[in-house]
Amino acid sequence: MDFARRGVMLVIASPSGAGKSSISRALFAQDPNIELSVSVTTRQRRTDELHGTHYWFIDEAEFARMRESGDLLESAEVHGNFYGTPRSKVEERLSAGKDILFDIDYQGTLQLYEKCRDDMVTVFILPPSIAELRARLERRAQDSSGTIEKRLRNALIEMEHYDEYDFVLVNEDLEQSVQMVRSILASARLARQRQTKLGGFVEDLKAQIAALG
Ligand code: 5GP
C-alpha cells in the first residue's frame, strides 16, 4: 500500500569527480518522483549546461540580492564561485510528496541541518582512490588543469566533512552505488514522521477489530 507522505530532502555530496553527477542522473532516470533542486550560481556556464536545468546562472549582484532578501535556503562559496539553493518551491514540493535531490557541498548541508534536519537524509560519496578522482576530472576535461588542481585541493576540504553525513559510500561501481542510494531513499520514505496519513489507516484497522465485538 502506498500512503500519502511528505517528501525527502536527499542531499548527495562528494568531492568533484567522485561520481555524484552520474549517480544523480541515474536516480532521475529511474525514479520519476525525484526532482532536482536547481541551484543558482555565479560560475561560468559550461558548454554542456543549460540555464534552468543544471543551474540558474546569475551574476554576483543578483546573487547578493537573493541572499540578502532571504530567497536562498543556504548558500556557499565553492572554488571561488557562489552557489545557493532557492527557497521557493521546496516546501510546496515536499508537501506534495515529491523527493528533492540537493547537489550541494558540506557548507550548504550544515546550513540545511539547522533549518530542516527532520526532512533530510544525507549521503556522502567517496572516490575509490585519488588517482581515480584525478582521472575522472581529466576525462571530464571541462576545466583547465589549474582548475583541476584547485578541485583536487578542494576535495581534501570536502572529504574532511564525511562524518557529518548520515550515510557514506565508496563509488567503485556506478550501478551498485545507484542501487545503494535508492535503498537509502526507500527506507527514508518509510520513516514514520513522513507517513502523514498513517494515523487514519491505523485508526481504521483498530476500528475494524473493535467492531468484531
Ligand atoms: P560545480 O561547479 O562542479 O557544478 O559544483 C561545485 C560544487 O558546488 C559541488 O560540490 C556542488 O555540490 C556545490 N554546489 C552546487 N550547488 C550548490 C548550492 O546550491 N549550494 C551549495 N552549498 N553548494 C553547491
Side-chain angles (χ1 to χ4, degrees):
M1 297 182 77
D2 197 11
F3 296 105
R5 62 169 179 86
R6 187 167 168 80
V8 177
M9 290 172 76
L10 176 65
V11 175
I12 303 189
S14 75
S16 329
K20 176 177 56 179
S21 311
S22 314
I23 293 173
S24 306
R25 265 198 303 279
L27 286 173
F28 291 124
Q30 294 175 23
D31 190 332
N33 200 61
I34 307 174
E35 297 180 359
L36 176 69
S37 163
V38 180
S39 297
V40 294
T41 183
T42 60
R43 158 165 87 58
Q44 285 293 311
R45 188 174 68 80
R46 296 180 188 133
T47 47
D48 62 343
E49 289 178 326
L50 296 172
H51 183 66
T53 301
H54 299 90
Y55 283 105
W56 299 103
F57 296 94
I58 61 175
D59 61 22
E60 289 196 15
E62 174 67 0
F63 187 91
R65 192 202 58 73
M66 289 185 80
R67 192 171 49 190
E68 274 144 38
S69 53
D71 292 345
L72 300 179
L73 207 48
E74 61 75 33
S75 63
E77 187 178 346
V78 189
H79 312 135
N81 298 302
F82 294 103
Y83 297 83
T85 300
R87 180 187 296 277
S88 63
K89 290 211 189 136
V90 170
E91 180 50 42
E92 182 256 313
R93 303 315 288 149
L94 291 178
S95 305
K98 293 290 175 190
D99 305 307
I100 310 177
L101 191 145
F102 296 81
D103 173 348
I104 61 176
D105 80 332
Y106 75 92
Q107 305 173 78
T109 307
L110 294 180
Q111 291 169 47
L112 290 190
Y113 279 153
E114 303 267 307
K115 295 179 179 161
C116 10
R117 187 63 181 104
D118 287 351
D119 284 318
M120 295 166 70
V121 172
T122 62
V123 184
F124 194 84
I125 316 275
L126 286 168
S129 67
I130 296 306
E132 178 60 27
L133 187 70
R134 176 187 275 280
R136 286 182 195 167
L137 286 174
E138 280 167 1
R139 267 201 300 278
R140 199 159 78 182
Q142 281 162 332
D143 300 307
S144 68
S145 63
T147 307
I148 290 174
E149 294 308 319
K150 196 151 90 173
R151 279 167 189 263
L152 279 172
R153 275 196 299 279
N154 201 269
L156 187 70
I157 302 171
E158 191 74 15
M159 272 190 280
E160 275 168 4
H161 293 271
Y162 78 94
D163 59 351
E164 282 147 8
Y165 290 79
D166 299 324
F167 297 91
V168 179
L169 63 94
V170 177
N171 180 27
E172 276 176 298
D173 174 79
L174 176 63
E175 218 166 294
Q176 219 171 45
S177 300
V178 172
Q179 281 318 311
M180 284 191 261
V181 177
R182 292 195 67 185
S183 307
I184 292 166
L185 182 58
S187 25
R189 284 170 171 167
L190 291 174
R192 181 173 40 76
Q193 86 265 15
R194 294 202 176 85
Q195 301 204 62
T196 45
K197 296 283 161 56
L198 207 51
F201 177 69
V202 175
E203 285 312 311
D204 187 48
L205 291 177
K206 282 160 64 183
Q208 288 180 48
I209 295 174
L212 297 175

